[in-house]
Amino acid sequence: MKSIVCATDYSSGSVSALKMAHVLSDKLHAKLVVLHVFDLNIALLTPLSMTYQKMENEEFGKHYERLEDFCKAHIGLDSSAKELELVVRENPIVSEAITDVFIGFDALLVVMGTKGTSTLKNLIMGSNTTAMIKKRSCPLMNIPPNLSSFSLERIGYATDYDDGDIPVLSWLVKHLVAPLGSYLHVLHVHSMGVEAGEIQMNRFRALLKQKIPYKKIGFELMYAQNISDAVMQYLERGEVDILMMLERGKKETFAHTNMVKKIMRKTAIPLLSINESMVQ
């Protein structure tokens, strides 16, 4: 059974992430794995001591109960629900624990909030999403706080018209777009002339049609010198519910990690980021 991992710090900023993860898991018939990571942070005790083990067990119990209350309050599910799995992990490195759970549950993606509160050793959800992007260890959907719509009908994909986009788009269609019955909107921002942009778009569209036999795909070509500003203008039109961006490490392209983080900080819709190495 497929799984969706939602990492939470119980904050109000992570409520929207939990709700989106719940909607995704329901639509995709996947198990929802809700994870909380804590740091015991007891410097004077060794992990082998009885006192440490007792305190660790108490913390696990406390956080499991709190995690269950959090899920009950916001999605109406508790540990008795077969579609829900509650997981509590102790680890001072949050991104490491999330990656371990992602791999352990063979999950499709991780859902996290872009903002959170300091808990224990300043485990701030916002900084952890940035850490996850840097690690590039799993597809990561970042959910802005106070998200009002959990629609999955229209998914945008920002492309460089690079052939490396094809396997990523294939992954996206196979695992999300087609199972959800969504419309896929492929966007490219071009800084050259109109003719050159249209030639690139037509070539890429023909290649995509050959490789991915999915009918509900549209294309848009925008002309601008500043890519991130153009993307924000595109998003402000409200024509897509989720935007996916690929990371390759190139500068001033859709695939640049800093561009992904910049858009993540500004956008009011979910942003799905993935590293191309994960789908090759």
Side-chain angles (χ1 to χ4, degrees):
M1 184 179 186
K2 293 181 291 186
S3 298
I4 303 292
V5 174
C6 176
T8 181
D9 62 356
Y10 314 127
S11 69
S12 58
S14 66
V15 171
S16 293
L18 177 63
K19 290 180 177 179
M20 175 56 85
H22 183 217
V23 170
L24 273 169
S25 63
D26 181 58
K27 297 288 186 183
L28 296 173
H29 306 290
K31 178 180 286 292
L32 174 57
V33 179
V34 184
L35 166 69
H36 177 72
V37 183
F38 72 94
D39 177 16
L40 199 53
N41 191 26
I42 305 176
L44 298 180
L45 296 176
T46 68
L48 297 178
S49 71
M50 294 298 293
T51 302
Y52 184 97
Q53 291 177 15
K54 180 181 178 181
M55 294 183 69
E56 184 179 48
N57 290 337
E58 289 175 350
E59 286 295 309
F60 268 102
K62 181 182 72 175
H63 284 292
Y64 189 92
E65 183 177 342
R66 188 176 178 186
L67 188 60
E68 184 166 40
D69 290 342
F70 185 75
C71 291
K72 282 181 183 179
H74 299 293
I75 59 174
L77 296 178
D78 59 25
S79 57
S80 65
K82 64 180 181 180
E83 66 270 31
L84 177 66
E85 181 95 16
L86 303 180
V87 178
V88 176
R89 292 287 174 88
E90 194 279 329
N91 195 321
I93 306 174
V94 177
S95 57
E96 181 179 275
I98 294 172
T99 301
D100 288 345
V101 171
F102 170 80
I103 295 171
F105 280 90
D106 192 24
L108 179 63
L109 55 86
V110 172
V111 181
M112 293 179 68
T114 56
K115 294 186 183 296
T117 58
S118 298
T119 59
L120 297 178
K121 194 177 179 181
N122 296 319
L123 300 183
I124 304 171
M125 186 62 71
S127 63
N128 288 318
T129 55
T130 301
M132 292 298 293
I133 289 176
K134 287 180 178 179
K135 288 175 73 69
R136 303 172 183 179
S137 50
C138 57
L140 178 63
M141 183 177 289
N142 300 282
I143 310 298
N146 304 316
L147 185 68
S148 58
S149 173
F150 298 93
S151 174
L152 302 167
E153 295 180 1
R154 303 162 299 174
I155 298 177
Y157 180 83
T159 178
D160 291 322
Y161 286 158
D162 188 291
D163 290 356
D165 285 314
I166 300 299
V168 180
L169 280 162
S170 180
W171 178 92
L172 182 62
V173 170
K174 177 182 178 181
H175 294 290
L176 287 178
V177 175
L180 293 170
S182 305
Y183 177 80
L184 177 60
H185 194 261
V186 180
L187 170 72
H188 176 66
V189 179
H190 197 71
S191 60
M192 305 296 287
V194 175
E195 183 177 354
E198 290 183 348
I199 290 173
Q200 275 192 316
M201 182 177 69
N202 291 333
R203 172 193 168 278
F204 189 79
R205 179 160 43 194
L207 181 61
L208 189 63
K209 186 176 181 180
Q210 179 184 0
K211 299 289 185 179
I212 304 175
Y214 187 72
K215 303 298 183 182
K216 297 165 65 174
I217 303 180
F219 293 80
E220 180 170 349
L221 184 61
M222 295 179 67
Y223 296 93
Q225 293 298 319
N226 189 296
I227 297 174
S228 60
D229 287 348
V231 173
M232 289 310 303
Q233 292 174 15
Y234 166 76
L235 295 178
E236 286 168 2
R237 284 164 24 196
E239 296 174 3
V240 293
D241 303 307
I242 297 171
L243 177 68
M244 180 173 180
M245 299 184 76
L246 174 67
E247 299 175 69
R248 294 194 192 99
K250 296 178 181 178
K251 294 183 178 179
E252 283 307 308
T253 71
F254 284 129
H256 185 34
T257 299
N258 287 339
M259 174 94 44
V260 175
K261 291 191 289 184
K262 185 175 181 179
I263 299 298
M264 182 185 76
R265 287 194 297 268
K266 292 183 176 181
T267 184
I269 70 168
L271 176 63
L272 175 61
S273 59
I274 185 172
N275 185 267
E276 64 178 342
S277 64
M278 294 201 64
V279 293
Q280 293 178 339

